[in-house]
Amino acid sequence: MAKNLLDIQNIKVGVGQKLVLDGLNLQIGEGETHVLMGPNGAGKSTLGNAIMGNPAYQLQGGKIIFDGQDITELAADKRAKAGLFMSFQAPLEVPGISLETFIRSAIQQKTGERVKLFAFQKELKAAMALLGMADSYASRDLNVGFSGGERKKSEILQLLMLKPKLAILDETDSGLDVDAVRIVSKGIEEFQRTQNGSLLIITHSTKILESLTVDKAHILAKGKILKTGGADLVADINQNGFDKYLAD
């Protein structure tokens, strides 16, 4: 059994005046890929943001242990430096800073070391080619004028370059056509294959999972993880929906 990289212990998380997560527990082992599913409004994105330390999501109880460290009170930037990464449903535009500069700066902040430019650019070019991104995207302002699919590719490019210990992918496949889903999935598969990082994939669709190895799947509803299973749980949800898991 893989050593736990992430151990979420009985957390309660509120957004504004509403308690969204109420006594949630979750463990993710090193190198494991977990899928998080659930009905709309169940709190899936809330969980991702709570793990990352987004201050808009108030942790009202419980603990978050990451790589053996209690990060419950740690600021978001410190969590990122420790090896956490999150891609977003709607990545923001950042005028005035190029995609290449943004990634290079993020690597330097994470490692505390100066990036060797030639090696960095060579690796960046290879990762962009894998994702079907033209070289010109490296010099464009981050996500400015990018289509939805291009923004999602940009997020996966950052994943491949930053090499986090745990990546949270929040509906990365949302709004993508079939070809874009295939390319994004290829990038995630590359992360699995070459970096042995852990993944928490939040999704409504399972197209993105078809080429990936899924270790565990979870159903989140009513503020808790109601059911945990393997890849067969994903297949069951696809066929039968969530109703039987929400009945109690």
Side-chain angles (χ1 to χ4, degrees):
M1 180 179 292
K3 170 189 171 186
N4 280 342
L5 178 65
L6 179 71
D7 185 7
I8 297 175
Q9 303 174 4
N10 198 38
I11 62 168
K12 298 176 184 290
V13 180
V15 181
Q17 300 299 313
K18 182 180 179 182
L19 184 66
V20 180
L21 303 179
D22 186 11
L24 184 144
N25 295 280
L26 177 67
Q27 291 78 41
I28 298 178
E30 292 179 343
E32 290 184 345
T33 294
H34 289 227
V35 176
L36 184 67
M37 307 183 78
N40 289 332
K44 301 182 296 296
S45 295
T46 295
L47 175 59
N49 279 285
I51 295 169
M52 287 303 303
N54 185 330
Y57 297 79
Q58 303 100 36
L59 193 64
Q60 299 175 6
K63 287 185 178 182
I64 301 175
I65 310 297
F66 179 68
D67 201 18
Q69 178 186 5
D70 186 344
I71 63 169
T72 308
E73 303 296 334
L74 212 60
D77 62 327
K78 298 292 194 300
R79 298 187 194 203
K81 287 181 181 180
L84 282 167
F85 171 93
M86 185 172 177
S87 73
F88 298 95
Q89 294 182 37
L92 297 175
E93 294 185 355
V94 184
I97 182 169
S98 71
L99 175 59
E100 177 180 345
T101 300
F102 177 83
I103 293 175
R104 188 169 73 244
S105 175
I107 292 172
Q108 288 181 169
Q109 289 184 42
K110 178 187 173 187
T111 63
E113 299 176 359
R114 186 178 179 86
V115 171
K116 296 179 180 178
L117 189 58
F118 178 78
F120 166 78
Q121 290 180 331
K122 182 179 179 182
E123 185 179 357
L124 181 68
K125 186 173 182 177
M128 291 177 70
L130 177 74
L131 296 171
M133 299 177 73
D135 292 349
S136 59
Y137 278 93
S139 59
R140 289 179 59 179
D141 285 1
L142 180 62
N143 293 329
V144 175
F146 285 23
S147 69
E150 290 164 348
R151 291 186 185 208
K152 298 301 176 72
K153 289 180 185 179
S154 169
E155 294 275 283
I156 300 304
L157 178 65
Q158 294 168 45
L159 167 69
L160 292 173
M161 294 299 294
L162 287 168
K163 303 177 177 63
K165 295 175 184 176
L166 171 64
I168 303 164
L169 307 183
D170 188 4
E171 298 196 29
T172 300
D173 51 347
S174 175
L176 300 184
D177 61 30
V178 173
D179 290 335
V181 168
R182 177 180 53 81
I183 292 171
V184 166
S185 181
K186 185 177 180 181
I188 299 170
E189 185 181 12
E190 179 74 3
F191 175 76
Q192 274 189 325
R193 185 181 67 83
T194 62
Q195 300 180 25
N196 196 38
S198 299
L199 286 162
L200 177 60
I201 301 174
I202 301 169
T203 185
H204 284 290
S205 168
T206 56
K207 280 288 181 185
I208 200 168
L209 305 175
E210 290 180 355
S211 63
L212 305 177
T213 299
V214 174
D215 295 292
K216 291 183 181 180
H218 312 275
I219 297 174
L220 191 159
K222 302 178 182 179
K224 297 179 173 65
I225 300 293
L226 297 184
K227 176 73 174 179
T228 293
D232 56 331
L233 180 58
V234 176
D236 182 56
I237 293 167
N238 277 339
Q239 184 172 355
N240 302 307
F242 296 109
D243 286 352
K244 70 179 182 180
Y245 299 106
L246 306 179
D248 294 337

